[in-house]
Amino acid sequence: NAGVTQTPKFRVLKTGQSMTLLCAQDMNHEYMYWYRQDPGMGLRLIHYSVGEGTTAKGEVPDGYNVSRLKKQNFLLGLESAAPSQTSVYFCATLAVNQETQYFGPGTRLLVL
Amino acid sequence: GEDVEQSLFLSVREGDSSVINCTYTDSSSTYLYWYKQEPGAGLQLLTYIFSNMDMKQDQRLTVLLNKKDKHLSLRIADTQTGDSAIYFCAESPSGAGSYQLTFGKGTKLSVIP
């Protein structure tokens, strides 16, 4: 039981490049979330999903897209990376009958 | 909108008690949480409290909730060097069917040996 895993752990991009961050969970949780963490800003919600095939915008969705084609995976895409997207990205999951979110280990992204 | 505030830094001596404070704005929050983040790691749930409770104790951790003042605190007894981390307060706003959390900016706890 791996819990919540994130791929890759670290990535360097050039401005304008695209990439996809993968979040995978083996806990059969319905809800999944993508956050970004920046110094002095805490965690801010980018997008979330309440179930397979559904996505919704969070607090800071601009410049990102997401997909939830399978219940266990939640993908975060950057179509044209910008230096402002340099951050640490965390995925989290939640089961409907539970009260708390479980977090992945994070993906560190540097955009030059 | 919802807002969660916490002080950014706290420094304590090993063996002393640490108290980390948090204020929130959504008076109808269902749950309030404390997460711990160690360097280079994700967030780990420490404890949470249901909004109809005043206090919750779990080993060295005590959570106090003053719903009238919208104030939440986390007390760590006998603080150890391994407790050095960033602690996040979070609330689950009411009516958020997607169970979204609103996080504070985090309090960095430094434990002096």
Side-chain angles (χ1 to χ4, degrees):
Chain A
N1 187 340
V4 182
T5 58
Q6 293 184 230
T7 309
K9 289 185 171 54
F10 177 69
R11 184 76 183 268
V12 179
L13 287 180
K14 294 182 180 178
T15 296
Q17 287 185 319
S18 63
M19 79 164 292
T20 300
L21 284 68
L22 171 64
C23 176
Q25 54 115 346
D26 60 4
M27 298 179 286
N28 203 34
H29 287 177
E30 289 78 9
Y31 299 115
M32 298 187 75
Y33 310 81
W34 275 108
Y35 294 90
R36 60 177 289 173
Q37 183 180 29
D38 303 290
M41 299 294 290
L43 276 83
R44 293 181 292 171
L45 182 65
I46 305 171
H47 285 280
Y48 64 96
S49 168
V50 300
E52 181 178 323
T54 73
T55 63
K57 294 180 180 180
E59 180 187 354
V60 289
D62 294 341
Y64 305 95
N65 57 75
V66 287
S67 65
R68 183 106 180 262
L69 298 179
K70 294 182 179 180
K71 185 177 183 179
Q72 63 267 33
N73 295 335
F74 195 29
L75 279 64
L76 178 70
L78 287 74
E79 289 187 351
S80 179
S84 61
Q85 294 177 305
T86 292
S87 188
V88 181
Y89 292 87
F90 288 101
C91 176
T93 72
L94 172 73
V96 172
N97 61 349
Q98 294 183 355
E99 296 88 15
T100 186
Q101 295 185 6
Y102 294 88
F103 282 79
T107 294
R108 282 151 183 78
L109 177 64
L110 174 62
V111 183
L112 302 175
Chain B
E2 300 85 12
D3 199 13
V4 178
E5 300 281 344
Q6 32 180 151
S7 54
L8 294 181
F9 302 99
L10 176 65
S11 182
V12 299
R13 293 201 175 275
E14 188 174 16
D16 288 349
S17 293
S18 308
V19 179
I20 304 172
N21 295 301
C22 168
T23 57
Y24 59 97
T25 56
D26 189 342
S27 59
S28 54
S29 290
T30 307
Y31 291 99
L32 294 133
Y33 306 83
W34 284 105
Y35 282 85
K36 175 183 181 182
Q37 184 181 34
E38 296 181 350
L43 276 71
Q44 172 194 358
L45 177 71
L46 276 182
T47 186
Y48 64 92
I49 188 167
F50 191 52
S51 59
N52 68 353
M53 297 170 64
D54 297 325
M55 185 182 83
K56 182 178 181 181
Q57 189 153 4
D58 184 3
Q59 299 182 341
R60 292 191 298 122
L61 304 179
T62 303
V63 178
L64 295 177
L65 175 60
N66 181 330
K67 202 171 179 183
K68 174 177 170 290
D69 295 337
K70 299 177 196 171
H71 183 268
L72 182 73
S73 67
L74 173 69
R75 178 177 181 270
I76 305 173
D78 186 26
T79 310
Q80 302 298 306
T81 54
D83 295 323
S84 293
I86 301 176
Y87 291 81
F88 290 92
C89 172
E91 65 170 349
S92 175
S94 65
S98 59
Y99 300 94
Q100 296 179 51
L101 296 185
T102 300
F103 287 86
K105 292 181 170 51
T107 299
K108 184 175 183 179
L109 174 64
S110 299
V111 182
I112 305 165

